[in-house]
C-alpha cells in the first residue's frame, strides 16, 4: 500500500512539472508571435479565478473561517507579490530569454525563501551545525550558477534539431535570438520573479496559519490579481486589438490559468499534505530537464556551455540546500522525541513517588491502583 502511495505521489509531481514545462513553451511561443506579456499576465488570473472558485464555494462554504481585515490585507499582498508583479517580471523575462534559462533560474526559489526567512526569524542560520552550513553553501552555489548562465554565453554544446514545430517558424522569431540578449530585460527579471515568489511564500505561510481555507484564499488572491493586472495591462497596452485572442493565444491563457494555477495548485497541495514540502521541492530540477528538451525539439533552441554548466551548478546547489534542510528537520524531530521521552520518564517517576509505601503493592503501580 505504501509503495502504491509513493508511486502515485511520484506520478503526480511529474505531471505537475510537465504542466509547468508546457506553460513555459506555449507562453514563449505566443509572445514570440506578438502577444504582449502584460496581456498574457492579465488573462491568466482571470481564468484561474473562474476555474478555482467552484472548489472554494462547494468545499469550504461550511468550514470557511471569518475573514478579518488583517487577513484580507495579507491576501492582497499575496496577490501583488505572488501573481501580479511575479507574472509581469516572469513573462517579460521569458520573452527576452529562453525556456531553459527560465526553468533553471526557477530553482533559486528555495534559496531566496531561506535568505528572506532568516532576518524575519522564520528560519535559523545555524552556521554552527552542518545542516545550516549546507543550506547557506547551497544558496550561494545556486546564486552563483544563476549568474553564470545569465552572463556567460560560451560555445554551442547542443545544436539545433533538424525538425521542429512549424508554428514556431511562422512567428518569425528564433528562440536563440532572445536567449542571450540584454541581461536586465531577460535573466535578471526572471531572477526577480523567483525573489517575488519567495516573498509570496513567506506571506502565504502567515496567511495559512490564520485562515484555514486554501481554496477561498487562492480564489480571493486570483480575483484581486485579475483586477490589478487588467488595470495595469490597459494602462500599458490601451489598444483593444492587442487583447484579441486567436486560437493559440486562447489555448495559452486558458491553459496557464486552469492547468498551471488551479490544477497544479491542487496536485501540489495534495502531495505536500502526504509527502511534505521537501519532497515537492526535489522535483524542481525535473522542470529544467523537460523544458530544455521541449525547447530543443519544438523551438530549435541551442544549448550553450554557460547555460549547461550554470544549470548543473544550480541543481547541485539546490540539492545541497535540500539536504541541509532535511538534516535540520531530522535533528528537530530527534530533539522532540528526546523531550517527549524525558517528559514521559518524569511523569512515571513522579507517579511512583506519589504512591503510598505499602509492601503489598510489590512496586507495581497497577497493584497500587487495584488496592486503592
Amino acid at each position: 500500500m505504501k509503495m502504491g502511495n509513493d508511486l502515485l505521489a511520484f506520478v503526480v509531481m511529474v505531471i505537475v512539472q510537465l504542466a509547468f514545462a508546457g506553460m513555459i513553451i506555449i507562453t514563449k511561443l505566443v509572445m514570440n508571435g506578438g502577444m504582449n506579456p502584460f496581456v498574457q499576465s492579465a488573462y491568466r488570473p482571470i481564468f484561474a479565478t473562474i476555474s478555482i472558485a467552484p472548489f472554494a464555494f462547494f468545499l469550504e462554504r461550511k468550514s470557511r473561517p471569518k475573514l478579518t481585515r488583517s487577513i484580507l490585507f495579507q491576501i492582497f499582498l499575496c496577490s501583488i507579490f505572488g501573481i501580479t508583479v511575479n507574472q509581469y517580471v516572469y513573462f517579460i523575462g521569458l520573452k527576452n530569454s529562453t525556456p531553459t534559462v527560465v526553468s533553471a533560474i526557477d530553482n533559486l526559489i528555495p534559496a531566496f525563501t531561506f535568505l528572506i526567512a532568516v532576518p524575519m526569524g522564520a528560519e535559523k542560520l545555524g552556521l554552527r551545525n552542518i545542516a545550516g552550513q549546507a543550506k547557506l553553501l547551497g544558496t550561494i552555489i545556486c546564486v552563483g550558477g544563476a549568474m553564470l548562465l545569465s552572463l556567460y554565453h560560451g560555445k554551442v554544446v547542443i545544436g539545433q534539431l533538424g525538425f521542429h514545430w512549424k508554428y514556431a517558424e511562422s512567428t518569425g522569431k528564433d528562440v536563440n535570438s532572445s536567449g542571450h540578449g540584454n541581461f536586465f530585460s531577460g535573466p535578471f527579471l526572471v531572477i526577480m520573479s523567483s525573489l517575488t515568489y519567495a516573498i509570496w511564500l513567506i506571506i502565504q505561510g502567515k496567511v495559512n496559519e490564520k485562515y484555514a481555507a486554501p481554496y477561498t484564499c487562492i480564489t480571493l488572491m486570483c480575483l484581486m490579481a485579475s483586477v490589478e493586472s487588467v488595470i495595469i495591462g490597459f494602462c500599458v497596452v490601451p489598444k483593444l486589438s492587442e487583447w484579441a485572442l486567436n486560437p493559440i493565444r486562447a489555448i495559452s491563457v486558458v491553459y496557464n490559468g486552469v492547468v498551471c494555477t488551479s490544477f497544479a495548485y491542487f496536485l501540489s497541495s495534495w502531495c505536500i499534505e502526504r509527502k511534505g514540502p521537501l519532497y515537492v521541492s526535489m522535483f524542481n530540477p525535473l522542470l529544467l530537464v523537460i523544458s530544455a528538451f521541449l525547447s530543443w525539439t519544438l523551438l530549435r533552441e541551442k544549448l550553450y556551455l554557460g547555460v549547461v554548466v550554470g544549470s548543473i551548478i544550480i541543481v547541485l546547489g539546490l540539492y545541497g540546500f535540500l539536504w541541509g534542510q532535511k538534516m535540520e528537520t531530522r535533528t528537530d524531530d530527534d530533539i522532540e522525541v528526546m523531550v517527549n521521552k524525558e517528559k514521559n520518564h518524569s511523569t512515571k517517576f513522579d507517579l511512583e513517588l506519589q504512591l503510598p509505601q505499602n509492601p503489598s503493592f510489590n512496586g507495581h503501580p497497577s497493584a497500587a491502583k487495584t488496592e486503592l
Side-chain angles (χ1 to χ4, degrees), residues 53-74:
F55 291 95
F57 178 77
F58 290 107
L59 298 180
E60 297 176 344
R61 58 180 176 176
K62 295 182 179 180
S63 60
R64 188 182 299 117
K66 183 180 179 181
L67 186 64
T68 64
R69 291 182 179 179
S70 174
I71 295 174
L72 190 63
F73 177 70
Q74 290 180 340

Side-chain angles (χ1 to χ4, degrees), residues 99-151:
T100 303
V101 170
V102 169
S103 55
I105 294 176
D106 271 348
N107 290 288
L108 289 174
I109 293 173
F112 279 148
T113 306
F114 172 68
L115 290 177
I116 297 171
V118 168
M120 294 182 64
E123 285 275 356
K124 295 180 179 179
L125 195 57
L127 293 180
R128 293 183 179 180
N129 57 67
I130 191 171
Q133 294 169 3
K135 290 172 70 175
L136 180 60
L137 182 60
T139 300
I140 295 172
I141 292 174
C142 279
V143 175
M147 291 298 101
L148 177 64
L149 71 84
S150 301
L151 300 174

Side-chain angles (χ1 to χ4, degrees), residues 281-354:
S281 298
M282 291 178 64
F283 282 83
N284 283 355
L286 182 61
L287 174 62
L288 169 59
V289 176
I290 298 173
S291 297
F293 177 77
L294 291 178
S295 185
W296 176 61
T297 55
L298 299 178
L299 306 182
R300 299 184 70 186
E301 178 184 352
K302 297 177 183 177
L303 296 181
Y304 294 88
L305 180 62
V307 174
V308 173
V309 175
S311 299
I312 293 173
I313 292 175
I314 290 176
V315 172
L316 291 176
L318 172 66
Y319 278 122
F321 174 88
L322 294 177
W323 180 84
Q325 193 175 48
K326 183 178 181 181
M327 291 295 294
E328 192 173 64
T329 304
R330 184 179 298 175
T331 302
D332 292 340
D333 291 342
D334 292 342
I335 292 174
E336 186 177 351
V337 170
M338 291 178 63
V339 170
N340 290 334
K341 284 183 178 180
E342 289 293 330
K343 286 183 179 179
N344 292 335
H345 179 73
S346 299
T347 303
K348 182 178 179 182
F349 182 72
D350 292 341
L351 179 62
E352 290 176 350
L353 288 177
Q354 293 172 7

Side-chain angles (χ1 to χ4, degrees), residues 150-188:
S150 301
L151 300 174
Y152 176 65
H153 192 169
K155 63 180 181 180
V156 175
V157 177
I158 301 177
Q160 291 180 335
L161 198 62
F163 66 92
H164 62 284
W165 195 358
K166 287 294 183 183
Y167 181 83
E169 189 177 66
S170 67
T171 61
K173 289 188 178 181
D174 186 359
V175 68
N176 299 285
S177 63
S178 59
H180 296 275
N182 191 324
F183 166 74
F184 289 98
S185 63
F188 177 77

